[in-house]
């Protein structure tokens, strides 16, 4: 444990080379945060206020929007303050909390998308049993599990990280994430690595489940024109959302664990930010534009104003 010390504050070095365009970056970030809040809150309120949308699929969609807001709130306020400040630091507890919030939000997206895939499977392949299977109690249970499992996984990861002896305090990113803290450790990180890969494979299993569900759905829908239309209407947004979240997180994990520090800082920042911007903006847009019930309700509200 050479040079081990008690770390109370981390320095975020990702902003070091942004001095010349910090004003532009602040304006762009504030605009992104405003758009994310506007789109997600708008979709949440649309679903809450319209009783015709109080169905399992739309309730799950509402939870995806809540997850997006939750994750965005873990990043944007702190990042905006850093852009206005000369000192880009974060407390030890604040760093672990930020990592917990950001990545539990992303994991929640995968859990909810898996639940939505199950919901679509029952709706299309077992339509006569849908209301007996997707009862209010089961919907509530699925929602609780889709939030609880990411919380448990991230609590374990962050808990293991908090026990490490650290030899450094400089994080070469715009925000805190668990693996960047682990890489500063002087002590053994074997347990962190093993548990980290278990969590990655656990949520990758969600992706496999979703893909297999939709492969089965596609095969079933080919037999009926009505089922095909229902699939295109309600399942395509889920697939687009899955692709959106998976690709964004895939690049983040690859960059965080295996990325080269020889890349230009601006490119490193882009790779670090894309999964915090793209899914939160595209998800409500995809569902708001593609799902006819939601789209019609939003248009009716717009006409009133």
């Amino acid at each position: 444990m050479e040079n081990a010390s008690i770390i109370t504050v981390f320095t975020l070095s990702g902003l070091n080379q942004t001095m010349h365009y910090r004003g532009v970056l602040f304006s762009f970030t504030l605009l992104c945060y405003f758009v994310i809040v506007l789109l997600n809150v708008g979709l949440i309120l649309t679903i809450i206020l319209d009783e015709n949308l109080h169905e399992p699929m739309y309730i799950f969609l509402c939870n995806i929007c809540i997850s997006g807001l939750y994750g965005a709130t873990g990043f944007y306020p702190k990042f905006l303050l850093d852009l206005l400040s000369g000192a880009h630091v974060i407390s030890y507890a604040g760093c672990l909390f930020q990592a917990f919030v950001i990545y539990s939000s992303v994991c929640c997206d995968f859990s909810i998308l898996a639940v939505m895939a199950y919901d679509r499977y029952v709706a299309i392949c077992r339509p006569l049993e849908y209301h007996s299977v997707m009862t209010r109690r089961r919907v509530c249970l699925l929602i609780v599990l889709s939030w609880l499992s990411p919380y448990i996984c991230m609590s374990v990861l962050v808990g293991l990280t908090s026990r490490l002896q650290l030899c450094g305090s400089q994080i070469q990113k715009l925000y805190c994430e668990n693996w960047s803290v682990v890489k500063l450790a002087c002590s053994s990180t074997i347990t962190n690595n093993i548990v980290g890969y278990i969590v990655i494979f656990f949520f990758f299993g969600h992706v496999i489940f979703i893909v297999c569900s939709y492969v089965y759905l596609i095969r079933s829908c080919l037999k009926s024109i009505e089922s095909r239309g229902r699939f295109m209407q309600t399942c395509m947004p889920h697939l687009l959302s899955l692709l959106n979240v998976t690709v964004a997180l895939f690049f983040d994990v690859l960059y965080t664990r295996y990325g080269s520090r020889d890349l230009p800082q601006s490119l490193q920042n882009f790779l670090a930010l894309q999964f915090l911007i793209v899914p939160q903006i595209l998800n409500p847009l995809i569902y708001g534009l593609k799902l006819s019930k939601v789209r019609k309700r939003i248009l009716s509200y717009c006409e009133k104003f």
Side-chain angles (χ1 to χ4, degrees), residues 85-128:
S85 171
H88 311 130
V89 297
I90 186 170
S91 69
Y92 180 85
C95 182
L96 295 183
F97 181 70
Q98 185 180 55
F100 175 86
V101 170
I102 290 174
Y103 284 90
S104 61
S105 167
V106 177
C107 292
C108 277
D109 286 347
F110 283 106
S111 296
I112 297 168
L113 285 170
V115 168
M116 293 175 83
Y118 172 72
D119 173 73
R120 290 300 85 200
Y121 161 76
V122 177
I124 294 175
C125 298
R126 298 161 58 188
L128 299 178

CSV table of all heavy atoms in Angstrom, one decimal, residues 85-128:
chain,number,residue,atom,x,y,z
A,85,SER,N,-17.1,27.2,-12.1
A,85,SER,CA,-16.1,27.3,-11.0
A,85,SER,C,-14.7,27.0,-11.6
A,85,SER,O,-14.5,26.4,-12.6
A,85,SER,CB,-16.4,26.3,-10.0
A,85,SER,OG,-15.4,26.2,-9.0
A,86,GLY,N,-13.7,27.6,-10.9
A,86,GLY,CA,-12.3,27.3,-11.2
A,86,GLY,C,-11.8,26.1,-10.7
A,86,GLY,O,-10.8,25.5,-11.1
A,87,ALA,N,-12.4,25.6,-9.6
A,87,ALA,CA,-12.0,24.3,-8.9
A,87,ALA,C,-12.9,23.2,-9.2
A,87,ALA,O,-14.1,23.3,-8.8
A,87,ALA,CB,-11.9,24.6,-7.4
A,88,HIS,N,-12.5,22.2,-9.9
A,88,HIS,CA,-13.3,21.1,-10.3
A,88,HIS,C,-13.1,19.9,-9.3
A,88,HIS,O,-12.4,19.0,-9.6
A,88,HIS,CB,-13.0,20.7,-11.7
A,88,HIS,CG,-13.0,21.8,-12.7
A,88,HIS,ND1,-12.0,22.1,-13.6
A,88,HIS,CD2,-13.8,22.9,-12.8
A,88,HIS,CE1,-12.2,23.2,-14.2
A,88,HIS,NE2,-13.3,23.7,-13.8
A,89,VAL,N,-13.7,20.0,-8.2
A,89,VAL,CA,-13.5,19.0,-7.1
A,89,VAL,C,-14.8,18.5,-6.7
A,89,VAL,O,-15.9,19.2,-6.8
A,89,VAL,CB,-12.7,19.6,-5.9
A,89,VAL,CG1,-11.3,20.0,-6.4
A,89,VAL,CG2,-13.4,20.8,-5.3
A,90,ILE,N,-14.8,17.3,-6.1
A,90,ILE,CA,-16.0,16.7,-5.5
A,90,ILE,C,-15.6,15.9,-4.3
A,90,ILE,O,-14.5,15.3,-4.3
A,90,ILE,CB,-16.7,15.8,-6.5
A,90,ILE,CG1,-18.0,15.3,-6.0
A,90,ILE,CG2,-15.8,14.7,-7.0
A,90,ILE,CD1,-18.9,14.6,-7.1
A,91,SER,N,-16.4,15.9,-3.2
A,91,SER,CA,-16.0,15.2,-2.0
A,91,SER,C,-16.0,13.7,-2.3
A,91,SER,O,-16.6,13.2,-3.2
A,91,SER,CB,-17.0,15.6,-0.9
A,91,SER,OG,-18.3,15.0,-1.2
A,92,TYR,N,-15.4,13.0,-1.4
A,92,TYR,CA,-15.3,11.5,-1.5
A,92,TYR,C,-16.7,10.9,-1.5
A,92,TYR,O,-17.1,10.1,-2.4
A,92,TYR,CB,-14.5,10.9,-0.4
A,92,TYR,CG,-14.3,9.4,-0.4
A,92,TYR,CD1,-13.3,8.8,-1.1
A,92,TYR,CD2,-15.2,8.6,0.4
A,92,TYR,CE1,-13.2,7.4,-1.1
A,92,TYR,CE2,-15.1,7.3,0.4
A,92,TYR,CZ,-14.1,6.7,-0.3
A,92,TYR,OH,-13.9,5.3,-0.3
A,93,ALA,N,-17.5,11.3,-0.5
A,93,ALA,CA,-18.9,10.8,-0.4
A,93,ALA,C,-19.7,11.2,-1.6
A,93,ALA,O,-20.5,10.4,-2.2
A,93,ALA,CB,-19.5,11.3,0.9
A,94,GLY,N,-19.5,12.5,-2.1
A,94,GLY,CA,-20.3,13.0,-3.2
A,94,GLY,C,-19.9,12.3,-4.5
A,94,GLY,O,-20.8,12.0,-5.3
A,95,CYS,N,-18.7,11.9,-4.6
A,95,CYS,CA,-18.2,11.1,-5.8
A,95,CYS,C,-18.9,9.8,-5.9
A,95,CYS,O,-19.4,9.4,-6.9
A,95,CYS,CB,-16.7,11.0,-5.7
A,95,CYS,SG,-16.0,10.2,-7.2
A,96,LEU,N,-18.8,9.0,-4.8
A,96,LEU,CA,-19.4,7.7,-4.7
A,96,LEU,C,-21.0,7.8,-4.9
A,96,LEU,O,-21.6,7.0,-5.6
A,96,LEU,CB,-19.1,7.0,-3.4
A,96,LEU,CG,-17.7,6.7,-3.2
A,96,LEU,CD1,-17.5,5.9,-1.8
A,96,LEU,CD2,-17.1,5.8,-4.3
A,97,PHE,N,-21.6,8.9,-4.4
A,97,PHE,CA,-23.0,9.0,-4.6
A,97,PHE,C,-23.3,9.3,-6.0
A,97,PHE,O,-24.3,8.8,-6.6
A,97,PHE,CB,-23.5,10.2,-3.6
A,97,PHE,CG,-25.0,10.4,-3.7
A,97,PHE,CD1,-25.9,9.4,-3.2
A,97,PHE,CD2,-25.5,11.5,-4.3
A,97,PHE,CE1,-27.3,9.7,-3.3
A,97,PHE,CE2,-26.9,11.7,-4.4
A,97,PHE,CZ,-27.7,10.8,-3.9
A,98,GLN,N,-22.5,10.2,-6.7
A,98,GLN,CA,-22.8,10.5,-8.1
A,98,GLN,C,-22.7,9.3,-8.9
A,98,GLN,O,-23.5,9.0,-9.8
A,98,GLN,CB,-21.8,11.6,-8.6
A,98,GLN,CG,-22.1,12.0,-10.0
A,98,GLN,CD,-21.2,13.1,-10.5
A,98,GLN,OE1,-19.9,12.9,-10.5
A,98,GLN,NE2,-21.7,14.2,-10.9
A,99,ALA,N,-21.6,8.5,-8.7
A,99,ALA,CA,-21.4,7.2,-9.4
A,99,ALA,C,-22.6,6.3,-9.2
A,99,ALA,O,-23.1,5.7,-10.2
A,99,ALA,CB,-20.2,6.5,-9.0
A,100,PHE,N,-23.1,6.2,-8.0
A,100,PHE,CA,-24.3,5.4,-7.7
A,100,PHE,C,-25.5,5.8,-8.5
A,100,PHE,O,-26.2,5.0,-9.1
A,100,PHE,CB,-24.5,5.4,-6.2
A,100,PHE,CG,-25.8,4.7,-5.8
A,100,PHE,CD1,-25.8,3.3,-5.5
A,100,PHE,CD2,-27.0,5.3,-5.7
A,100,PHE,CE1,-26.9,2.6,-5.2
A,100,PHE,CE2,-28.2,4.6,-5.3
A,100,PHE,CZ,-28.1,3.3,-5.1
A,101,VAL,N,-25.8,7.1,-8.4
A,101,VAL,CA,-27.0,7.6,-9.1
A,101,VAL,C,-26.9,7.4,-10.6
A,101,VAL,O,-27.9,6.9,-11.2
A,101,VAL,CB,-27.2,9.1,-8.7
A,101,VAL,CG1,-28.3,9.8,-9.6
A,101,VAL,CG2,-27.5,9.3,-7.3
A,102,ILE,N,-25.8,7.8,-11.2
A,102,ILE,CA,-25.7,7.8,-12.7
A,102,ILE,C,-25.9,6.3,-13.2
A,102,ILE,O,-26.6,6.0,-14.1
A,102,ILE,CB,-24.4,8.4,-13.2
A,102,ILE,CG1,-24.4,9.9,-13.0
A,102,ILE,CG2,-24.1,8.0,-14.6
A,102,ILE,CD1,-23.1,10.6,-13.3
A,103,TYR,N,-25.1,5.4,-12.6
A,103,TYR,CA,-25.1,4.0,-13.1
A,103,TYR,C,-26.3,3.2,-12.7
A,103,TYR,O,-26.7,2.3,-13.4
A,103,TYR,CB,-23.8,3.4,-12.8
A,103,TYR,CG,-22.7,3.9,-13.7
A,103,TYR,CD1,-21.9,5.0,-13.3
A,103,TYR,CD2,-22.5,3.3,-15.0
A,103,TYR,CE1,-21.0,5.5,-14.2
A,103,TYR,CE2,-21.5,3.8,-15.8
A,103,TYR,CZ,-20.8,4.9,-15.4
A,103,TYR,OH,-19.8,5.4,-16.3
A,104,SER,N,-26.9,3.5,-11.5
A,104,SER,CA,-28.1,2.8,-11.1
A,104,SER,C,-29.3,3.3,-12.1
A,104,SER,O,-30.2,2.5,-12.4
A,104,SER,CB,-28.5,3.1,-9.7
A,104,SER,OG,-28.7,4.5,-9.4
A,105,SER,N,-29.2,4.5,-12.5
A,105,SER,CA,-30.2,5.0,-13.5
A,105,SER,C,-30.1,4.2,-14.8
A,105,SER,O,-31.2,3.8,-15.3
A,105,SER,CB,-30.0,6.5,-13.7
A,105,SER,OG,-30.8,6.9,-14.9
A,106,VAL,N,-28.9,4.1,-15.3
A,106,VAL,CA,-28.7,3.3,-16.6
A,106,VAL,C,-29.2,1.9,-16.4
A,106,VAL,O,-29.8,1.3,-17.3
A,106,VAL,CB,-27.3,3.4,-17.0
A,106,VAL,CG1,-27.1,2.6,-18.3
A,106,VAL,CG2,-26.8,4.8,-17.3
A,107,CYS,N,-28.8,1.3,-15.3
A,107,CYS,CA,-29.2,-0.1,-15.0
A,107,CYS,C,-30.7,-0.3,-14.9
A,107,CYS,O,-31.3,-1.3,-15.4
A,107,CYS,CB,-28.5,-0.7,-13.8
A,107,CYS,SG,-26.8,-0.9,-13.9
A,108,CYS,N,-31.4,0.8,-14.3
A,108,CYS,CA,-32.8,0.8,-14.3
A,108,CYS,C,-33.5,0.8,-15.7
A,108,CYS,O,-34.5,0.1,-15.9
A,108,CYS,CB,-33.3,2.0,-13.5
A,108,CYS,SG,-33.3,1.9,-11.7
A,109,ASP,N,-32.8,1.5,-16.6
A,109,ASP,CA,-33.3,1.5,-18.0
A,109,ASP,C,-33.4,0.1,-18.5
A,109,ASP,O,-34.4,-0.3,-19.2
A,109,ASP,CB,-32.4,2.4,-18.8
A,109,ASP,CG,-32.7,3.9,-18.6
A,109,ASP,OD1,-33.6,4.2,-17.9
A,109,ASP,OD2,-31.8,4.7,-19.1
A,110,PHE,N,-32.3,-0.7,-18.3
A,110,PHE,CA,-32.3,-2.1,-18.8
A,110,PHE,C,-33.3,-2.9,-18.2
A,110,PHE,O,-34.0,-3.7,-18.8
A,110,PHE,CB,-30.9,-2.7,-18.6
A,110,PHE,CG,-29.9,-2.2,-19.6
A,110,PHE,CD1,-28.9,-1.3,-19.2
A,110,PHE,CD2,-29.9,-2.6,-20.9
A,110,PHE,CE1,-27.9,-0.8,-20.1
A,110,PHE,CE2,-28.9,-2.2,-21.8
A,110,PHE,CZ,-28.0,-1.3,-21.4
A,111,SER,N,-33.5,-2.8,-16.8
A,111,SER,CA,-34.5,-3.6,-16.1
A,111,SER,C,-35.9,-3.3,-16.6
A,111,SER,O,-36.7,-4.2,-16.8
A,111,SER,CB,-34.4,-3.3,-14.6
A,111,SER,OG,-33.1,-3.7,-14.1
A,112,ILE,N,-36.2,-2.0,-16.8
A,112,ILE,CA,-37.5,-1.6,-17.2
A,112,ILE,C,-37.8,-2.0,-18.7
A,112,ILE,O,-38.9,-2.5,-19.0
A,112,ILE,CB,-37.7,-0.1,-17.1
A,112,ILE,CG1,-37.6,0.3,-15.6
A,112,ILE,CG2,-39.1,0.4,-17.6
A,112,ILE,CD1,-37.5,1.8,-15.4
A,113,LEU,N,-36.8,-1.9,-19.5
A,113,LEU,CA,-36.9,-2.4,-20.9
A,113,LEU,C,-37.1,-3.9,-20.9
A,113,LEU,O,-37.9,-4.4,-21.8
A,113,LEU,CB,-35.7,-2.0,-21.7
A,113,LEU,CG,-35.5,-0.6,-22.1
A,113,LEU,CD1,-34.2,-0.3,-22.7
A,113,LEU,CD2,-36.6,-0.1,-23.1
A,114,ALA,N,-36.5,-4.6,-20.0
A,114,ALA,CA,-36.8,-6.1,-19.9
A,114,ALA,C,-38.2,-6.4,-19.5
A,114,ALA,O,-38.9,-7.3,-20.1
A,114,ALA,CB,-35.8,-6.7,-19.0
A,115,VAL,N,-38.7,-5.6,-18.6
A,115,VAL,CA,-40.1,-5.8,-18.1
A,115,VAL,C,-41.0,-5.4,-19.3
A,115,VAL,O,-42.1,-6.1,-19.5
A,115,VAL,CB,-40.3,-4.9,-16.9
A,115,VAL,CG1,-41.8,-4.8,-16.6
A,115,VAL,CG2,-39.6,-5.4,-15.7
A,116,MET,N,-40.7,-4.4,-20.0
A,116,MET,CA,-41.6,-4.0,-21.2
A,116,MET,C,-41.6,-5.0,-22.2
A,116,MET,O,-42.6,-5.3,-22.9
A,116,MET,CB,-41.1,-2.6,-21.7
A,116,MET,CG,-41.3,-1.5,-20.8
A,116,MET,SD,-40.6,0.1,-21.4
A,116,MET,CE,-41.8,0.7,-22.5
A,117,ALA,N,-40.4,-5.7,-22.4
A,117,ALA,CA,-40.4,-6.8,-23.4
A,117,ALA,C,-41.3,-7.9,-23.0
A,117,ALA,O,-42.0,-8.5,-23.8
A,117,ALA,CB,-38.9,-7.3,-23.5
A,118,TYR,N,-41.3,-8.2,-21.7
A,118,TYR,CA,-42.2,-9.3,-21.2
A,118,TYR,C,-43.7,-8.8,-21.4
A,118,TYR,O,-44.5,-9.7,-21.8
A,118,TYR,CB,-41.9,-9.5,-19.7
A,118,TYR,CG,-42.9,-10.4,-19.0
A,118,TYR,CD1,-42.9,-11.8,-19.3
A,118,TYR,CD2,-43.8,-9.9,-18.1
A,118,TYR,CE1,-43.9,-12.6,-18.7
A,118,TYR,CE2,-44.8,-10.8,-17.5
A,118,TYR,CZ,-44.8,-12.1,-17.7
A,118,TYR,OH,-45.7,-12.9,-17.1
A,119,ASP,N,-44.0,-7.6,-21.1
A,119,ASP,CA,-45.3,-7.0,-21.3
A,119,ASP,C,-45.8,-7.2,-22.7
A,119,ASP,O,-46.9,-7.6,-23.0
A,119,ASP,CB,-45.4,-5.6,-20.8
A,119,ASP,CG,-46.7,-4.9,-21.1
A,119,ASP,OD1,-47.7,-5.2,-20.4
A,119,ASP,OD2,-46.7,-4.1,-22.1
A,120,ARG,N,-44.9,-6.9,-23.7
A,120,ARG,CA,-45.3,-7.0,-25.1
A,120,ARG,C,-45.4,-8.4,-25.5
A,120,ARG,O,-46.3,-8.7,-26.4
A,120,ARG,CB,-44.2,-6.3,-25.9
A,120,ARG,CG,-44.2,-4.8,-25.8
A,120,ARG,CD,-45.5,-4.1,-26.2
A,120,ARG,NE,-46.4,-4.1,-25.1
A,120,ARG,CZ,-47.8,-3.9,-25.3
A,120,ARG,NH1,-48.3,-3.9,-26.5
A,120,ARG,NH2,-48.6,-3.9,-24.2
A,121,TYR,N,-44.6,-9.3,-24.9
A,121,TYR,CA,-44.8,-10.7,-25.2
A,121,TYR,C,-46.1,-11.2,-24.8
A,121,TYR,O,-46.8,-11.9,-25.6
A,121,TYR,CB,-43.7,-11.5,-24.5
A,121,TYR,CG,-44.0,-13.0,-24.4
A,121,TYR,CD1,-43.9,-13.8,-25.5
A,121,TYR,CD2,-44.5,-13.5,-23.2
A,121,TYR,CE1,-44.2,-15.2,-25.4
A,121,TYR,CE2,-44.8,-14.9,-23.1
A,121,TYR,CZ,-44.6,-15.7,-24.2
A,121,TYR,OH,-45.0,-17.0,-24.1
A,122,VAL,N,-46.6,-10.9,-23.6
A,122,VAL,CA,-47.9,-11.3,-23.2
A,122,VAL,C,-49.0,-10.7,-24.0
A,122,VAL,O,-50.0,-11.4,-24.4
A,122,VAL,CB,-48.1,-11.0,-21.7
A,122,VAL,CG1,-49.5,-11.4,-21.2
A,122,VAL,CG2,-47.0,-11.7,-20.8
A,123,ALA,N,-48.8,-9.4,-24.3
A,123,ALA,CA,-49.9,-8.7,-25.1
A,123,ALA,C,-50.1,-9.2,-26.5
A,123,ALA,O,-51.2,-9.3,-27.0
A,123,ALA,CB,-49.5,-7.2,-25.1
A,124,ILE,N,-49.0,-9.6,-27.1
A,124,ILE,CA,-49.1,-10.0,-28.5
A,124,ILE,C,-49.2,-11.6,-28.7
A,124,ILE,O,-50.0,-12.0,-29.5
A,124,ILE,CB,-47.9,-9.5,-29.3
A,124,ILE,CG1,-47.9,-8.0,-29.4
A,124,ILE,CG2,-47.8,-10.1,-30.7
A,124,ILE,CD1,-46.7,-7.4,-30.0
A,125,CYS,N,-48.5,-12.3,-27.8
A,125,CYS,CA,-48.6,-13.8,-28.0
A,125,CYS,C,-49.7,-14.4,-27.1
A,125,CYS,O,-50.1,-15.6,-27.4
A,125,CYS,CB,-47.2,-14.4,-27.6
A,125,CYS,SG,-45.9,-13.8,-28.7
A,126,ARG,N,-50.1,-13.7,-26.1
A,126,ARG,CA,-51.1,-14.3,-25.2
A,126,ARG,C,-52.2,-13.3,-24.9
A,126,ARG,O,-52.5,-12.9,-23.8
A,126,ARG,CB,-50.5,-14.8,-23.9
A,126,ARG,CG,-49.5,-16.0,-24.1
A,126,ARG,CD,-48.6,-16.1,-22.9
A,126,ARG,NE,-49.3,-16.5,-21.7
A,126,ARG,CZ,-48.8,-16.5,-20.5
A,126,ARG,NH1,-47.5,-16.3,-20.3
A,126,ARG,NH2,-49.5,-16.8,-19.4
A,127,PRO,N,-52.8,-12.7,-26.0
A,127,PRO,CA,-53.7,-11.5,-25.8
A,127,PRO,C,-54.9,-11.8,-24.9
A,127,PRO,O,-55.4,-10.9,-24.1
A,127,PRO,CB,-54.1,-11.2,-27.2
A,127,PRO,CG,-53.9,-12.4,-28.0
A,127,PRO,CD,-52.7,-13.1,-27.4
A,128,LEU,N,-55.4,-13.0,-25.0
A,128,LEU,CA,-56.6,-13.4,-24.2
A,128,LEU,C,-56.3,-13.5,-22.7
A,128,LEU,O,-57.2,-13.3,-21.8
A,128,LEU,CB,-57.2,-14.7,-24.7
A,128,LEU,CG,-57.7,-14.7,-26.1
A,128,LEU,CD1,-58.3,-16.0,-26.5
A,128,LEU,CD2,-58.8,-13.6,-26.3
